[in-house]
Amino acid sequence: HQHKKIGVLYYNIKIKHPYIIYSEQLTSHNDLHEAARNLFAAMRKLEGSGAEIILAENVPNHDIGIAINDRLSRASA
């Protein structure tokens, strides 16, 4: 994704790179329920950020994390 403006949606691993123009953290406490509550607002912010590409980190794939990962997968299609 060289020379593209990148937006990042992350669970708990913040990535730093010169092309990242915006990032959103789903939770600061590794809390899947907090991540689920913040998911749609974070996605809307990223869409409005001017990013040309949005990269998303999957959350732990258990409990409500399964639904979050499914939503992220559907959004990428």
Side-chain angles (χ1 to χ4, degrees):
H1 308 296
Q2 197 170 10
H3 306 294
K4 297 279 187 180
K5 296 176 188 171
I6 299 173
V8 177
L9 178 65
Y10 67 99
Y11 178 67
N12 65 355
I13 300 173
K14 187 168 186 173
I15 301 168
K16 293 185 180 185
H17 191 277
Y19 295 129
I20 294 175
I21 63 164
Y22 191 81
S23 63
E24 277 289 323
Q25 183 176 20
L26 291 176
T27 176
S28 59
H29 307 291
N30 293 330
D31 180 339
L32 286 172
H33 291 280
E34 180 183 14
R37 286 190 302 272
N38 294 333
L39 179 63
F40 289 102
M43 290 172 70
R44 281 193 300 274
K45 288 177 185 176
L46 279 160
E47 281 202 342
S49 72
E52 297 170 283
I53 295 172
I54 297 173
L55 304 175
E57 174 189 13
N58 281 335
V59 301
N61 204 34
H62 60 83
D63 298 327
I64 199 166
I66 296 168
I68 295 169
N69 288 333
D70 179 65
R71 182 61 187 111
L72 290 172
S73 176
R74 289 173 188 264
S76 71

